[in-house]
Amino acid sequence: MKYLKPVIKGVKKPFKLIKVFLKQKAGWLDKPKIVPYKGYGNANEVFIKGMVIEDKGLSKPKDSQHFWQNMLAAIKRFSSDEIPGVRVKAELLGKSLTTETDEMGFFSFHFKFNKEEKELLKKKWHTVHFELLDEIIENQPHIYATEEVRIISPEQNRVIVSDIDDTALVSHSTQTLRKLRLMLLKNALSRNPFPGVSKFYQALSDGKDKKEDNPFFFVSSSEWNLYDLLEDFFILNHFPKGVFLLRRLEHSIYQFWKSGGGSHEHKYEKIKSLLHFYQEQKFVLFGDSGQQDPEIYSKIAFEFPGRIEAIYIRTIRSRSYIENNGQLDEKLAKVETLYLEVKDTHEAAKHASKHGLVAQDLPQEL
């Protein structure tokens, strides 16, 4: 069996590596698990990432789940040990790549295709197969996993990017105690979306003629540790299938209440990278006024004139960003961007219908 080597030099979190190493040597390390995240690509390139972690046995949420079971699941999400320095193989359309997890247990793959363009564009979702190549524990079974990548063709007209917390999912991000209560005591079944938002997003995916199938990206300051909860929540509440772009955990288990806080610069970087990667498409951005979405989205619109069709901001604070930034809507109009602050989903849907982003015969709930 290959044992992990706690290489300290140049490593930001040496104690984490030593902990995993000692647990493995003592036989205390649980079975490893590959946790891939949905990826994305175009006709020539595909990106997908994930983690190798210690399997803590997180199960799917149930209606009858007690608050203490939800609390235990929340702690498990932030306490599982990531496994660094192990090899993972990924296969897509007959092409295989191998990489090694970094010190935080993350891996990433960048597939480049030359002759497979037609094959990639045949479907909007392709399956990627993963295999763990190293033996971490005694009598380890074969460790496999699969996940999908969304392929966006040059003919696709529009990409939708949405924040998650307090935009789609009620999170109380600006109120620490209420946020902590939701994180600890609720699960994907008992967390609440904003009224009508999943139907509105589905209408945006369908587009004006109900045939567009516009792709969705969900960009959030939440950490990858919450990926399973967010995936389950979006499926259970019938959101369009999309790609999540989250961030790495910056805090210890003792500071998990800070999840989703801090700097939101990564949102700017991730959306900007999407705009560079998908140069043929226009974008619609959704966020809220509780964090820095209005500033970030406006900045992007000015940097990419003509590319951001509309910015929708759900107001969760009394102050208005646009009122405090005189003539912002007029300035954004010059770069062909509509800016709207809304109190609820109905207001956003009505505006989107008027401007041709969704069909005019919207569901009555909107």
Side-chain angles (χ1 to χ4, degrees):
M1 180 176 70
K2 177 190 176 217
Y3 285 97
L4 301 175
K5 298 177 181 179
V7 180
I8 306 302
K9 186 177 180 181
V11 172
K12 295 179 180 178
K13 298 188 177 183
F15 295 109
K16 196 170 188 67
L17 292 184
I18 293 172
K19 176 186 173 185
V20 174
F21 173 73
L22 293 176
K23 282 179 68 173
Q24 185 199 45
K25 293 289 283 185
W28 298 340
L29 194 66
D30 287 330
K31 185 178 75 172
K33 179 181 182 180
I34 302 172
V35 183
Y37 311 125
K38 283 186 174 61
Y40 61 93
N42 57 24
N44 305 109
E45 297 179 82
V46 170
F47 296 92
I48 190 166
K49 64 171 60 179
M51 297 181 74
V52 177
I53 64 171
E54 182 183 20
D55 190 355
K56 289 290 187 178
L58 275 171
S59 58
K60 292 293 183 183
K62 300 175 183 177
D63 285 320
S64 58
Q65 202 155 295
H66 297 289
F67 76 91
W68 61 265
Q69 291 174 304
N70 294 329
M71 187 180 298
L72 180 61
I75 293 171
K76 283 182 177 181
R77 288 188 182 96
F78 286 91
S79 64
S80 291
D81 280 315
E82 302 86 10
I83 302 178
V86 293
R87 293 174 301 145
V88 180
K89 184 175 78 171
E91 183 175 336
L92 172 61
L93 294 179
K95 187 169 186 173
S96 296
L97 295 177
T98 300
T99 191
E100 190 172 284
T101 56
D102 64 16
E103 64 180 39
M104 293 294 292
F106 282 91
F107 61 81
S108 59
F109 291 98
H110 180 190
F111 287 88
K112 295 182 180 180
F113 297 98
N114 294 319
K115 300 178 181 179
E116 296 87 352
E117 178 178 344
K118 291 183 179 179
E119 193 68 26
L120 270 174
L121 295 179
K122 278 184 180 179
K123 297 192 298 182
K124 293 184 177 178
W125 291 94
H126 286 271
T127 300
V128 182
H129 298 267
F130 299 90
E131 180 183 358
L132 183 62
L133 299 180
D134 290 320
E135 188 178 358
I136 313 302
I137 60 172
E138 296 288 353
N139 302 315
Q140 176 180 299
H142 290 295
I143 307 296
Y144 297 101
T146 60
E147 191 48 276
E148 294 179 295
V149 288
R150 176 58 147 106
I151 306 301
I152 301 175
S153 73
E155 287 73 32
Q156 190 77 47
N157 294 321
R158 183 176 297 121
V159 173
I160 315 294
V161 178
S162 175
D163 178 43
I164 297 175
D165 293 318
D166 291 322
T167 300
L169 169 66
V170 177
S171 302
H172 303 302
S173 295
T174 61
Q175 303 173 60
T176 302
L177 291 178
R178 295 184 74 182
K179 179 179 104 171
L180 187 59
R181 179 178 177 274
L182 287 176
M183 289 180 64
L184 283 175
L185 305 182
K186 302 289 185 177
N187 60 39
L189 278 167
S190 52
R191 294 290 296 267
N192 294 319
F194 284 96
V197 69
S198 63
K199 289 185 181 295
F200 177 41
Y201 279 16
Q202 190 57 62
L204 284 162
S205 178
D206 295 339
K208 185 178 180 179
D209 61 3
K210 300 185 180 182
K211 298 179 182 178
E212 294 178 17
D213 196 13
N214 293 312
F216 263 81
F217 288 86
F218 298 104
V219 181
S220 173
S221 293
S222 293
E223 289 81 4
W224 286 110
N225 305 63
L226 297 173
Y227 182 77
D228 70 298
L229 184 147
L230 294 174
E231 271 270 272
D232 290 340
F233 172 84
F234 276 67
I235 291 170
L236 289 166
N237 288 282
H238 309 293
F239 280 83
K241 184 163 68 171
V243 177
F244 289 87
L245 299 176
L246 310 180
R247 71 176 184 180
R248 295 186 177 212
L249 182 66
E250 297 179 359
H251 312 289
S252 73
I253 176 61
Y254 306 107
Q255 297 173 301
F256 75 94
W257 53 273
K258 291 185 178 181
S259 175
S263 171
H264 302 281
E265 187 68 15
H266 82 102
K267 285 186 186 179
Y268 166 74
E269 296 295 340
K270 285 183 170 64
I271 297 173
K272 189 169 74 167
S273 70
L274 289 175
L275 282 154
H276 283 303
F277 189 58
Y278 296 115
Q279 297 186 15
E280 306 296 325
Q281 287 77 24
K282 292 191 175 183
F283 283 60
V284 177
L285 310 180
F286 287 85
D288 65 85
S289 63
Q291 298 174 327
Q292 299 167 23
D293 295 345
E295 296 95 321
I296 292 169
Y297 293 178
S298 299
K299 180 180 178 181
I300 290 172
F302 289 126
E303 289 186 19
F304 294 86
R307 297 288 309 283
I308 309 300
E309 285 186 280
I311 295 171
Y312 290 91
I313 299 296
R314 183 185 293 275
T315 55
I316 62 171
R317 287 180 170 176
S318 57
R319 74 172 191 263
S320 167
Y321 179 75
I322 198 165
E323 288 177 2
N324 294 333
N325 292 268
Q327 299 181 318
L328 175 64
D329 51 347
E330 295 179 18
K331 294 175 183 176
L332 286 170
K334 291 180 181 178
V335 292
E336 301 174 38
T337 298
L338 298 168
Y339 181 95
L340 186 69
E341 294 182 353
V342 298
K343 293 181 179 179
D344 54 37
T345 305
H346 174 76
E347 191 177 350
K350 188 175 179 180
H351 182 274
S353 177
K354 179 181 177 181
H355 290 275
L357 298 178
V358 298
Q360 292 188 348
D361 56 334
L362 287 170
Q364 290 186 350
E365 301 93 311
L366 300 177

